[in-house]
Amino acid sequence: MNLADFSEHFVVRLPHTDAAGVLFYARLFEIEQELFERWLELGGFSVRAMLDGELAPTPIVHCGADYRRPVRVGDRLTVRLVGLDIGRSGYLMQWNFLIDGEVAMTARVKRVAIDPELGESIDLPEVFRTFLEETQSRTGRLS
């Protein structure tokens, strides 16, 4: 992932598509998850650390996408993190998926820090909040 603008290039492959060769809607969120994990790594974090209890896990609690045009096998996407909202226990990220500089799709994903034993939301860990704030200072707010 490009640290300067939180972007990544991605080529749509056959397994990402449906029978018509168009990106299958659920694959968008698989791609987003992979990009999220790369973004975490830029800050020195990982999903593994969350699963191992070293950092509060932040599972997805809401997600949505807008499809502005068909995305097909072989399309070369530039995916960019374009905004972030931060709350007490959670954060909302928006990713834009561009083809030739035009937005083809957007995905918004909200994650919330939880106590895995209680299953309840908790305050975001300060070290992670700092990374979120640094990211937000470079991408902007969503609301």
Side-chain angles (χ1 to χ4, degrees):
M1 178 167 287
N2 182 338
L3 183 59
D5 64 358
F6 302 109
S7 68
E8 182 89 15
H9 295 287
F10 185 84
V11 178
V12 177
R13 304 292 183 197
L14 186 60
H16 301 126
T17 64
D18 59 18
V22 175
L23 184 75
F24 181 61
Y25 72 95
R27 298 287 187 212
L28 173 65
F29 294 105
E30 288 179 9
I31 296 165
E32 187 280 336
Q33 178 66 33
E34 185 173 333
L35 295 169
F36 168 74
E37 291 182 32
R38 290 181 187 172
W39 169 79
L40 279 177
E41 291 164 0
L42 290 176
F45 303 101
S46 69
V47 170
R48 179 66 181 258
M50 291 178 176
L51 296 175
D52 288 348
E54 299 166 22
L55 180 68
T58 60
I60 295 171
V61 297
H62 184 79
C63 59
D66 290 314
Y67 299 83
R68 299 184 181 171
R69 65 180 266 195
V71 176
R72 302 182 185 285
V73 171
D75 282 346
R76 297 179 183 281
L77 303 171
T78 299
V79 187
R80 184 168 291 124
L81 179 59
V82 295
L84 186 66
D85 283 341
I86 306 166
R88 176 193 67 81
S89 62
Y91 53 100
L92 175 67
M93 304 175 91
Q94 179 172 320
W95 301 86
N96 283 357
F97 296 73
L98 300 100
I99 298 174
D100 297 327
E102 292 186 29
V103 176
M105 304 176 296
T106 61
R108 281 189 171 208
V109 178
K110 181 169 184 163
R111 292 176 167 86
V112 172
I114 63 164
D115 177 320
E117 291 184 19
L118 300 175
E120 297 175 355
S121 69
I122 59 172
D123 290 349
L124 288 164
E126 280 306 312
V127 65
F128 190 62
R129 175 179 291 283
T130 298
F131 179 55
L132 288 166
E133 290 169 349
E134 289 169 0
T135 300
Q136 186 183 57
S137 74
R138 296 169 59 201
T139 63
R141 287 188 164 90
L142 294 174
S143 43

